[in-house]
Amino acid sequence: MIIQLLNGMQLAMLLFLLSVGLSVVFGLMRFVNLAHGTLFMLGAFVGLSTAEATGSFWLALVAGTLASAVVGGLLYLGLLRRLQAESPLKQVLVTFGLIFIGLEAARMIWGDYAARLPGPAMLAGSSEVFGVVYPTYRLFVIAVGLVVAAVLYFGLERTRIGAIVRAGVDDRTMTAALGIDIGRVFFAVFVLGCGLAGLAGVVAGPVLSVYAGMDMGVLILALVVVVIGGPGSLKGAFVGAVLVGMVETFGQVWLPEVAGMLLYGLMAAVLALRPQGLLPAGPRP
């Protein structure tokens, strides 16, 4: 039971790192960026190459995060910014096309095979938690997710920049009318979200295999997190990630015959009762 709880939290924290950028970008920019998963894959591959070249997981963590942030920023400036005023259908089609471009580019650069990113030596082995032995690296994954969630919560709730982001999510027209350069806010949030996707890719590397196409399955789970938690909400992304992580993990153990249906059943139930998600962003009192 405790091991499954830890497995669920580990998956939840990976999904949170990936989905929080997707959720906030959608809430702030009303932009459906399906290529977000491709940046997750890019971070994993750049981290893998860096680890193989330097032997350092920590350099891989920095390189993968920065690579996804830079590529995401260039995509925003060169293409995605022009799509903000377009219909959601055009946004979906263009970013869906970027998924396949990223897939073929990954195959050309890194080949069509799976590899495992080596974790740091100091986190090898197992540790005892609540009376059970559990891999230390997976505890590190949980810790990274919790730390990032705490830092983002402090940044959004306790700083002026966070107040501007919240105001932009609630009413971007009014925020721009107050003289705030909302375009820069959009760009900064977008790049931050892309960097977090790359961070998630590197952190997931020692747990999951790194291969071309690794983004597809994770992207679907991240979209379910956004729908359940509510677009544009940090708290919603966290709660949605924990729910999805637990349902996915315990479903595979207790009800493997219908595990694939449980997650989408949960999403359907949330949409039926709260179409806006459990904790959507919105005007505050």
Side-chain angles (χ1 to χ4, degrees):
M1 179 71 173
I2 293 177
I3 290 180
Q4 299 309 324
L5 280 173
L6 292 172
N7 285 338
M9 277 302 293
Q10 179 219 250
L11 176 59
M13 292 303 99
L14 283 176
L15 291 175
F16 171 74
L17 290 174
L18 179 60
S19 62
V20 65
L22 190 65
S23 178
V24 175
V25 166
F26 182 81
L28 184 64
M29 303 169 62
R30 306 293 188 267
F31 190 92
V32 185
N33 180 22
L34 295 183
H36 198 73
T38 301
L39 297 169
F40 166 82
M41 180 178 65
L42 174 66
F45 270 118
V46 172
L48 175 64
S49 296
T50 305
E52 289 177 344
T54 66
S56 171
F57 172 82
W58 307 111
L59 285 178
L61 196 68
V62 174
T65 302
L66 289 178
S68 294
V70 170
V71 171
L74 293 175
L75 276 177
Y76 175 85
L77 294 174
L79 177 63
L80 302 183
R81 181 173 55 177
R82 306 170 193 273
L83 294 174
Q84 287 189 61
E86 301 294 341
S87 67
L89 179 60
K90 286 186 178 179
Q91 295 173 1
V92 168
L93 289 175
V94 171
T95 55
F96 195 67
L98 289 176
I99 292 177
F100 289 97
I101 293 174
L103 177 62
E104 293 305 319
R107 284 174 174 162
M108 291 174 61
I109 297 172
W110 287 283
D112 196 9
Y113 62 90
R116 189 173 293 275
L117 196 156
M122 63 182 293
L123 298 177
S126 302
S127 303
E128 186 172 336
V129 183
F130 304 122
V132 301
V133 177
Y134 197 74
T136 304
Y137 182 79
R138 295 184 178 232
L139 295 174
F140 167 73
V141 174
I142 297 174
V144 169
L146 293 176
V147 169
V148 170
V151 170
L152 290 178
Y153 178 80
F154 178 81
L156 282 173
E157 300 292 336
R158 296 288 186 269
T159 66
R160 182 175 180 273
I161 294 176
I164 292 174
V165 172
R166 297 201 314 270
V169 172
D170 293 345
D171 191 333
R172 55 179 176 175
T173 303
M174 181 61 72
T175 305
L178 294 175
I180 295 172
D181 188 347
I182 201 69
R184 288 188 177 181
V185 177
F186 286 172
F187 180 70
V189 171
F190 190 88
V191 170
L192 176 62
C194 294
L196 289 176
L199 174 66
V202 180
V203 170
V207 180
L208 309 173
S209 294
V210 180
Y211 60 95
M214 63 180 290
D215 53 326
M216 297 301 290
V218 177
L219 175 64
I220 293 173
L221 292 178
L223 290 172
V224 173
V225 168
V226 174
V227 171
I228 290 177
S233 169
L234 172 64
K235 296 176 185 175
F238 188 84
V239 171
V242 172
L243 283 175
V244 170
M246 293 300 172
V247 170
E248 184 75 1
T249 301
F250 281 95
Q252 294 289 344
V253 175
W254 288 350
L255 299 168
E257 298 84 1
V258 295
M261 299 169 52
L262 290 177
L263 191 59
Y264 300 102
L266 171 66
M267 184 174 69
V270 170
L271 286 175
L273 298 174
R274 291 181 63 86
Q276 72 277 28
L278 295 176
L279 295 169
R284 301 173 184 218

